[in-house]
Amino acid sequence: MNVQAVKTLPDAQTVTSVNHWTDTLFSFRVSRPKSLRFRSGEFVMIGLLKDDGKPLLRAYSIASPSWDEELEFYSIKVPNGPLTSRLQKIEEGDEIILRPKPVGTLVLDALLPGKRLWMICTGTGVAPFASLLRDPETYEAYDQVILAHTCRTKAELAYGAALAKALPDDPLIGELVGDKLHYYPTTTREPSANEGRISDHIRSGEVFEKLGLPQWNAAEDRIMICGSMALNKDIMSLCEAQGLTEGANSNPAEFVVEKAFVD
Ligand code: A2P
């Protein structure tokens, strides 16, 4: 095991489990600092010690909900990536650094009240939504919640797909989820039920038709966006074309956006 222990640091947390979803994607859970309070959808800085003893940290969305006693993260394995090439080797019992200062705009507070909450993401951008989708407040605030996730292949969708499948039967929040949750996966480089980029499915109206939901309108629809810069830009302009405006913690509005961090 090549990962240097970080026990001497005050911000060390213990890895409790690791799940490798594909050759390039993995999730892991760590102990939660007692003092850490966060809102579902926020991110923190996590990392490992470099060989020179200095911390190497990156922003990671917390994928677990705010009520969970552990913290979950979902990560890509970037070939030769300074952090992820080492982070992907962590095992149960190892320690990572976690700075307990959560921030972020993909929070319910940054949106005005609405009827439907759309979560639009690519790749590991699903992580903050994995948090929000397990938070009872999400279902208390909205009549319908839509997770739209675009990946290249079906295998890359597995983390989000497993979550969406499990939620209606979840012993804690399954009843709240009920039939409010819609899952809309699309693949761009492998045939599937929904082929192509989510942005194109929104533009063509295919996603609305298939889900039986109306086109976005500023009175009812709230949109959260998390993916690459290109995805974020595309979806933001689709929001703006429908008269939706960007919100922030200090100024809630109709959509919010955040870059999926490690890429
Ligand atoms: P595509 O295969 O057409 O590039 P990546 O693996 O490169 O991080 O991309 C993740 C997913 O996001 C891929 O399916 C990719 O589609 C898709 N994607 C990339 N750019 C956009 C965009 N501007 N709008 C929607 N989806 C995008």
Side-chain angles (χ1 to χ4, degrees), residues 16-163:
T16 58
S17 64
V18 184
N19 193 349
H20 292 271
W21 295 87
T22 69
D23 288 352
T24 57
L25 293 165
F26 70 113
S27 60
F28 55 97
R29 293 175 70 85
V30 304
S31 55
R32 176 172 176 170
K34 292 222 163 31
S35 61
L36 176 64
R37 297 276 170 275
F38 69 98
R39 293 176 295 174
S40 295
E42 289 186 314
F43 64 88
V44 287
M45 303 299 291
I46 66 170
L48 298 168
L49 276 191
K50 291 186 289 188
D51 293 337
D52 65 4
K54 293 194 181 124
L56 174 62
L57 303 174
R58 294 281 184 271
Y60 270 83
S61 290
I62 301 172
S64 46
S66 53
W67 52 261
D68 200 327
E69 59 191 29
E70 293 182 342
L71 298 174
E72 185 172 311
F73 298 97
Y74 180 54
S75 181
I76 194 168
K77 306 173 189 177
V78 183
N80 304 315
L83 179 62
T84 64
S85 59
R86 295 172 59 210
L87 193 63
Q88 65 177 282
K89 296 186 188 132
I90 54 169
E91 291 171 359
E92 189 182 330
D94 288 342
E95 297 196 315
I96 65 159
I97 305 165
L98 190 152
R99 299 269 192 256
K101 294 192 184 69
V103 282
T105 55
L106 298 179
V107 292
L108 296 172
D109 291 347
L111 293 171
L112 292 169
K115 204 166 171 184
R116 289 174 291 273
L117 177 60
W118 289 77
M119 302 171 172
I120 313 278
C121 54
T122 52
T124 55
V126 71
F129 302 140
S131 174
L132 283 156
L133 285 168
R134 289 183 268 193
D135 191 326
E137 281 182 35
T138 302
Y139 304 95
E140 283 156 9
Y142 291 94
D143 293 345
Q144 281 166 316
V145 179
I146 303 99
L147 174 65
H149 190 196
T150 294
C151 288
R152 296 181 182 199
T153 63
K154 287 192 260 187
E156 290 173 353
L157 289 165
Y159 177 77
L163 180 69

Side-chain angles (χ1 to χ4, degrees), residues 200-216:
D200 292 329
H201 285 230
I202 294 167
R203 236 173 255 122
S204 68
E206 186 174 345
V207 59
F208 303 105
E209 227 167 87
K210 282 186 169 164
L211 295 178
L213 296 174
Q215 282 274 356
W216 292 343

Side-chain angles (χ1 to χ4, degrees), residues 76 122-123 150-153 156 186-189 197-200 228-232 234-235 263:
I76 194 168
T122 52
T150 294
C151 288
R152 296 181 182 199
T153 63
E156 290 173 353
T186 84
T187 56
T188 53
R189 308 210 186 172
R197 294 175 166 191
I198 183 60
S199 42
D200 292 329
S228 61
M229 290 308 251
L231 175 276
N232 290 358
D234 256 22
I235 306 294
D263 54 17

